[in-house]
Amino acid sequence: MPSGRAVETRSYISSRELLEALRGAEEAAERLGVTVSAWCAPFVEALPWAKHLRASNCRDWAVMDITPSGKVVLCDVLGVVVADAAKEGLRRAWEKLQSHPLNKLTHSVPRECRGCPLAPAAAGAATLGQCSAGAASRPRTRCAPSRRRRGGRGPGATVYSRPGGGATGRAAAAVPGGPERLREHGVVVKRCRGCLRVALVYPSVYSAAVASLAYQNLYYMINSLDYAVAERFVAASTAGEEPPPRSLETGSPLSSFDLILAPVSYELDYVTLARILLAAGIEPLRRRRGGRGPLVAVGGPVPSMNPAVALGLADLVLVGEAEETVPRLLDALHGGGPGGAEELACSTGFLAPGCSSPVHKAVVASLDEAFHTTIQFRVPGSGEPWGEAYMVEASRGCPHMCRFCMEAHFLLPARHRSTARIRSLVEEGVEANKVNGVAFYSLSFFDHPGADRLLEWVVGEGLEASIGSLRADQLTEDRVELMSRAGQRVVTVAPETLSPRLCRGIGKCIPLERVEEIAELAWRRRMHVKLYLMLGLPGESDGDVEAYAEALRRLSRRAPPAREAIRVSVNPLVPKPWTPLQRHPLIDRRVYERRVRILRRAQSKVLSVDALSYRYAYAQAVVARGDERVAELLAEWARLGGRLGQLWTAARRLGVSLDAYTSGKGPRPWEELVRPGYPPAALQAAYRAALRAVGEQG
């Protein structure tokens, strides 16, 4: 409004600009199926084309607007000071507000406007000269009749402009899978003519997307570029019929974007990605698309470590870390159009069909200089993610390099973000997102040289903290105490095995005595203990698992009488590419289920055992070590609906032998496609050493 400091700084907009903004809001609201509330603009009720706009009444005079300095203003738009609550007290300030002549004036409507149907919405604005009788630039025009609305009100949309670029803010967005449209925090609404339009697809449901820090960073990193705009797409479900995908920001169809970019961190997300493409009318197999439609690119740990499957679906695979690859890709596409990607193909970080030599992984040199978002999208009050906490990456990679861990091998070398940088991010992120907690992302948090100081500082600031899986050999009584003071209620430890022999094979030995000691420390502070165990390790026998069960029984006898004081999560070892165990066969189904039954005999009121379905692990193993034939399998699986049991139906239709991928004896196409920074011979030597360590022939 042309009032107060807005006049001095000329920061108000013209009537023409206001009407253009309202037209834009109308178009967006129509696409989203929502209603937009326009404050201090009663004339929107008279605009014949504004079917999704409504005028909001002027301010409620039963409340009082107080500035940070204590001044009481007439309203939050017209900064007319009427009292000083800091000096006069709230009661006196309230009395002065109620008796102020402008306060009384805004309750009345000018005589010439009293017959206008817009008068109820225009009382305050009309008497202060803001009602312009149907059009912001034509005060003499007769007001048109107000429209009758059909149906209820949709959620509003508010956009906050930032200098020097697009606009960011909080907006209403449809969250697939939810019972209704929910108001999100941190949505980017960016108007950008001539910009490269990026469809950022998270191949899972919204609750998984919001908890992914990598996806959050991608969203805000792309939108921070002047020449690009990203909109989010998520799946309505992980199986079954998928509705035509529409972006959460504007409701735009997936096929209308220049680039489809999908991070893949879990093997079975590929089938969800294929389902989303099919629902958008886009052929999921690259060779059948023939260059038609948006460019499809995938990245993340799964395609980086084995791009063979990804090449069957995507036009381009981003190998390595997103901060190094995504801006280069967008810059090339913006400057050179679809052909811009061809210039990057086969260079470091960019794998395309037909590359004559393996592509090297792109790596960020300094985490302090790498992009990390401050704002993060979420639905306030939902508890997602991590109890409404700001997510911050403390370190990347892991120095322990367990032989089964794909994440540690993908993220080589191990790096830490500086303590000063982490503190700065937390201070800004907690404030920007209006949360009272911080979730530290790290494969091994206490390997960070400043971990203890960071946790002490978080507690001192009155914030809660969440730390994921921890190494028991790094936990001390002081650290468990700090975690308890930070509000953490579960200590999660992943020994993987309780056998002193088998642990040498996987390169991760956490003695049972250490697990018991940590459990005691946690229980004293009324914390629960969660343990992760794997079955199917090199050299494992039923006798080893019987010993696990007996160890769990002993542990449960020491536990307090609290329900599920110990929670045990059991998974099969799924061998992953570019790890020393990449050649190891997946455990047989009957053997796995028999060993799970052995562990479940240890269950009691204080100890629960939860085991992953073998079929999920089997499907994951097929995709993890797959090739382009598996890409065809994924596309067929998606056409059938993507339910787990339909994988075997798709395999029969295509004549694909799934056991060929789970046995560990098949080819390793990833070794011919990428170079992660260490030679295949080193993995072979490590696998032989693992077999010797457990007493098998190496």
Side-chain angles (χ1 to χ4, degrees):
M1 285 187 176
S3 172
R5 290 194 63 210
V7 175
E8 301 170 17
T9 59
R10 300 189 62 80
S11 58
Y12 58 89
I13 61 176
S14 67
S15 301
R16 178 185 57 80
E17 291 170 321
L18 174 59
L19 289 174
E20 286 179 359
L22 290 171
R23 281 190 179 276
E26 169 64 25
E27 293 169 4
E30 184 174 10
R31 286 195 301 270
L32 291 169
V34 301
T35 300
V36 175
S37 171
W39 285 33
C40 306
F43 54 85
V44 299
E45 297 283 350
L47 299 176
W49 44 263
K51 296 181 174 61
H52 296 79
L53 304 182
R54 66 176 177 84
S56 178
N57 290 345
C58 199
R59 71 180 313 292
D60 179 3
W61 296 102
V63 299
M64 186 162 56
D65 288 324
I66 306 177
T67 69
S69 63
K71 300 293 191 295
V72 176
V73 292
L74 187 67
C75 80
D76 56 353
V77 174
L78 300 174
V80 179
V81 177
V82 298
D84 190 331
K87 294 181 179 179
E88 301 171 292
L90 287 175
R91 181 181 295 277
R92 177 58 182 156
W94 174 260
E95 292 171 350
K96 291 182 69 172
L97 173 65
Q98 297 304 310
S99 61
H100 196 279
L102 283 179
N103 187 350
K104 296 178 179 179
L105 179 63
T106 52
H107 281 82
S108 63
V109 177
R111 184 181 298 115
E112 60 270 26
C113 295
R114 288 176 186 169
C116 176
L118 305 184
T127 54
L128 294 175
Q130 301 302 321
C131 184
S132 50
S137 58
R138 294 177 293 170
R140 294 185 181 180
T141 305
R142 186 181 302 277
C143 289
S146 63
R147 304 183 304 277
R148 286 187 177 271
R149 303 277 180 188
R150 291 185 179 180
R153 296 176 179 177
T158 308
V159 177
Y160 301 92
S161 296
R162 280 185 175 174
T168 65
R170 302 173 181 86
V175 180
E180 59 184 353
R181 291 178 178 269
L182 302 173
R183 184 183 298 276
E184 279 189 290
H185 161 89
V187 178
V188 176
V189 181
K190 184 175 178 182
R191 289 190 165 237
C192 190
R193 290 185 179 180
C195 275
L196 183 75
R197 300 184 70 226
V198 181
L200 192 56
V201 177
Y202 194 86
S204 189
V205 294
Y206 179 86
S207 60
V210 74
S212 169
L213 182 55
Y215 187 65
Q216 296 263 10
N217 277 335
L218 269 176
Y219 179 58
Y220 295 103
M221 180 172 68
I222 295 171
N223 280 311
S224 71
L225 302 173
D226 291 337
Y227 56 84
V229 57
E231 298 187 24
R232 297 162 301 151
F233 290 79
V234 297
S237 63
T238 55
E241 185 177 355
E242 190 72 19
R246 297 272 180 174
S247 75
L248 298 185
E249 285 73 15
T250 65
S252 300
L254 183 62
S255 57
S256 67
F257 287 77
D258 304 307
L259 169 67
I260 295 173
L261 180 61
V264 180
S265 56
Y266 174 54
E267 285 80 1
L268 301 192
D269 285 348
Y270 276 130
V271 71
T272 304
L273 174 60
R275 289 174 52 248
I276 291 172
L277 293 174
L278 284 169
I282 299 172
E283 167 59 46
L285 290 173
R286 170 185 50 78
R287 61 180 175 81
R288 292 183 184 174
R289 285 197 298 271
R292 296 182 298 274
L295 182 79
V296 179
V298 299
V302 170
S304 291
M305 297 300 267
N306 179 14
V309 176
L311 283 175
L313 303 173
D315 303 295
L316 192 66
V317 180
L318 308 187
V319 179
E321 297 174 352
E323 299 93 338
E324 288 292 310
T325 55
V326 172
R328 287 178 58 202
L329 173 61
L330 301 187
D331 186 58
L333 292 176
H334 181 253
E342 297 177 6
E343 299 178 8
L344 293 174
C346 307
S347 62
T348 297
F350 299 94
L351 181 66
C355 290
S356 58
S357 59
V359 165
H360 289 269
K361 180 182 70 174
V363 179
V364 170
S366 169
L367 290 189
D368 275 6
E369 296 176 8
F371 180 90
H372 194 299
T373 181
T374 299
I375 194 77
Q376 293 172 355
F377 64 82
R378 71 186 218 291
V379 177
S382 66
E384 293 287 350
W386 320 121
E388 299 200 8
Y390 172 68
M391 300 177 286
V392 62
E393 183 189 40
S395 58
R396 189 173 295 183
C398 178
H400 301 281
M401 299 297 294
C402 302
R403 288 174 176 150
F404 59 85
C405 184
M406 186 180 74
E407 284 282 337
H409 287 78
F410 166 63
L411 294 173
L412 272 175
R415 290 144 289 164
H416 304 299
R417 190 168 264 112
S418 72
T419 302
R421 177 63 176 145
I422 295 172
R423 285 184 56 164
S424 174
L425 285 168
V426 170
E427 286 173 343
E428 296 174 10
V430 167
E431 175 62 27
N433 296 284
K434 308 301 180 189
V435 294
N436 63 351
V438 54
F440 288 108
Y441 271 58
S442 176
L443 291 180
S444 181
F445 176 71
F446 284 111
D447 274 306
H448 191 290
D452 296 287
R453 295 194 306 275
L454 278 170
L455 208 49
E456 288 170 356
W457 172 75
V458 166
V459 171
E461 292 292 308
L463 300 173
E464 294 185 349
S466 174
I467 305 171
S469 182
L470 300 156
R471 288 186 65 94
D473 54 359
Q474 293 183 329
L475 290 179
T476 63
E477 184 167 6
D478 288 343
R479 286 174 171 174
V480 174
E481 174 64 23
L482 265 177
M483 292 163 58
S484 175
R485 288 169 55 199
Q488 189 150 333
R489 293 292 169 259
V490 178
V491 175
T492 304
V493 180
E496 316 302 351
T497 175
L498 300 176
S499 165
R501 178 178 61 89
L502 299 182
C503 74
R504 294 194 295 270
I506 61 173
K508 184 178 185 180
C509 285
I510 308 296
L512 176 60
E513 296 76 15
R514 187 66 180 137
V515 174
E516 293 172 341
E517 182 182 347
I518 296 305
E520 291 279 5
L521 293 174
W523 291 330
R524 285 181 214 156
R525 292 157 180 83
R526 298 185 179 181
M527 301 168 79
H528 288 264
V529 176
K530 185 170 185 179
L531 302 179
Y532 281 100
L533 296 177
M534 285 196 300
L535 296 178
L537 304 183
E540 182 183 280
S541 67
D542 284 3
D544 293 307
V545 182
E546 292 278 7
Y548 295 179
E550 181 55 36
L552 292 175
R553 289 188 194 97
R554 291 200 307 271
L555 187 62
S556 64
R557 286 194 287 268
R558 300 171 62 175
R563 187 172 183 81
E564 293 190 335
I566 313 164
R567 303 167 191 166
V568 181
S569 179
V570 182
N571 298 270
L573 166 65
V574 178
K576 298 297 181 72
W578 285 112
T579 67
L581 298 186
Q582 64 180 4
R583 297 166 174 259
H584 195 66
L586 180 71
I587 186 174
D588 178 77
R589 178 175 183 170
R590 289 188 296 272
V591 174
Y592 173 73
E593 292 178 347
R594 181 174 69 246
R595 292 177 183 172
V596 168
R597 288 195 296 272
I598 292 172
L599 290 176
R600 282 186 169 149
R601 292 175 197 155
Q603 288 190 128
S604 64
K605 290 183 179 179
V606 299
L607 186 146
S608 65
V609 176
D610 178 54
L612 178 71
S613 164
Y614 181 83
R615 296 203 304 169
Y616 275 105
Y618 186 92
Q620 189 181 348
V622 169
V623 180
R625 294 192 286 203
D627 50 21
E628 286 207 38
R629 186 68 170 148
V630 170
E632 296 179 13
L633 178 68
L634 287 165
E636 182 65 21
W637 186 11
R639 291 182 218 278
L640 292 172
R643 292 183 174 84
L644 185 59
Q646 292 167 329
L647 168 62
W648 283 263
T649 304
R652 286 194 298 271
R653 286 188 178 184
L654 298 179
V656 175
S657 171
L658 300 181
D659 290 344
Y661 299 100
T662 61
S663 67
K665 298 177 181 179
R668 296 178 294 279
W670 52 90
E671 293 182 356
E672 307 301 322
L673 295 172
V674 291
R675 285 289 178 264
Y678 45 90
L683 301 179
Q684 296 173 20
Y687 185 47
R688 288 195 294 269
L691 295 180
R692 288 195 299 271
V694 298
E696 294 194 353
Q697 184 178 357

